[in-house]
Amino acid sequence: MVFTLNARARLTPTHTFTVMSLGKAARSLVNPLRGVLRPFSPALNRSYAAVAEARAVLENELNGIRAAGTWKAERIITSKQGPQINVDGSRSSILNFCANNYLGLSSHPEVVQAGIEALQKYGAGLSSVRFICGTQDLHKNLEQKLAEFHEREDCILYASCFDANAGLFEVLLGPDDAVLSDELNHASIIDGIRLCRAQRLRYKHMDLGDLEKKLQESQSSRMRLIVTDGVFSMDGDVAPLPGICDLAEQYGAMVFIDECHATGFLGSRGRGTDELLGVMDRVHIINSTLGKALGGAAGGYTVGPKPLIDLLRQRSRPYLFSNSLPPPVVGCSTRAVELLLASNEIAQSMTAKTMRFRNKMTQAGFTISGSAHPICPVMLGDARLASVMADDMLKLGVYVIGFSYPVVPKGKARIRVQISAAHTDEDIDHCVDAFIQTGRKHGVIS
């Protein structure tokens, strides 16, 4: 009912009741707002000031990253992973030369089909950690196959190799022990070692002389563990495992290697760095990933002595407090491992493709770090140059990414190229031609 009141208007009882009801309703709406409309309390003012100050600090940090040319933008891919991909904003397919898809298995038909079948049979996930109700027969089957692949006693799965590295050292090493780590080990190894209470010694990158000094310094320790990447991901250089194993045996130490950038394609059967260098029986513990050559989905693992694996199941925090790997991921990874157990053909195809790229780039005048590994860092030095060149390469149909601090040391910026078994010779030649054109534009080569 709508009213128009004036000085001569008279209200009937019904009208009076309606107006009183409207008044009460208005008051009920206003009362809750009184506290909101009052001046802020001092405590609330301080809280908002703290948030504003934090925002200013964060924005200043972000502006510094942009100014340094080290801002890491995320390009959006609109297709499956492979040697050719679709990138948002590009009109045609792009050659991808920066994925860890070393064997081209990320979109392999058999690997994809295995994931579909696992999804249909076992569901999307377990909604549980392993020890409660999160272990299916397919998890145990994959662990058995990975142990067989690496010729080790047992295996334990993790959500990632970062988790595997975070969960190992704290369990294995105590305050009476010592860990000797290469100075350029992966960030996940460094973080994992920080969690343990052992004496921590860092030796110079791949320097056996310095490693021996550290072994001599730590001779009073109960146990000693030498820790190294098998392949160092930013430079593509391979750890001197024979010399490391010699020193370990001389001084009574154990050897651990992270094989994320070696599993599946280094060595005659793709077993990794230890097979490549003939020390499979002298390396004691291996951590690696399912997220690169072995299907590229997700997941990591530790293989080694059964008592160690049993202890990790009881005490490794990332294992105990993280959900089980989803069945589709396990299905895909299992099929990838089966393919490698059945044949080494894919792994053996990597060498010729890698050397084709390295040789052509070197002949063109570029500096390529590492040796004979599919990780081929094109060294540029300047962070902004690496970023701009990568953008120009995308315009020429080649997807690569510039790497700079803090991913690599300051002054060591590069474009990291990664060769895949799925690349053709024509793909590689096109990539080299794009580098030559871009390098001349920016004065990197003449």
Side-chain angles (χ1 to χ4, degrees), residues 178-206:
V179 56
L180 303 92
S181 177
D182 188 292
E183 65 179 352
L184 293 188
N185 277 337
H186 190 268
S188 61
I189 296 175
I190 294 170
D191 287 357
I193 289 174
R194 286 172 177 165
L195 295 173
C196 78
R197 294 182 294 165
Q199 178 188 8
R200 300 191 289 269
L201 300 97
R202 186 173 61 178
Y203 64 91
K204 296 176 184 177
H205 181 47
M206 301 202 306

Side-chain angles (χ1 to χ4, degrees), residues 12 20 76 154 284:
T12 65
M20 291 176 63
I76 300 173
D154 204 355
H284 307 97

Side-chain angles (χ1 to χ4, degrees), residues 40-56:
F40 290 134
S41 67
L44 196 56
N45 278 332
R46 287 193 297 270
S47 176
Y48 276 92
V51 172
E53 183 178 355
R55 180 182 290 274

Side-chain angles (χ1 to χ4, degrees), residues 22-33:
L22 289 171
K24 287 180 180 179
R27 286 194 297 274
S28 69
L29 290 172
V30 170
N31 285 337
L33 293 173

Side-chain angles (χ1 to χ4, degrees), residues 3 5 65 133 149 157 198 206 225 308 382 412 444:
F3 294 97
L5 300 181
I65 295 173
C133 59
F149 182 80
L157 291 173
M206 301 202 306
L225 181 67
L308 170 63
D382 181 73
K412 298 288 187 180
V444 176

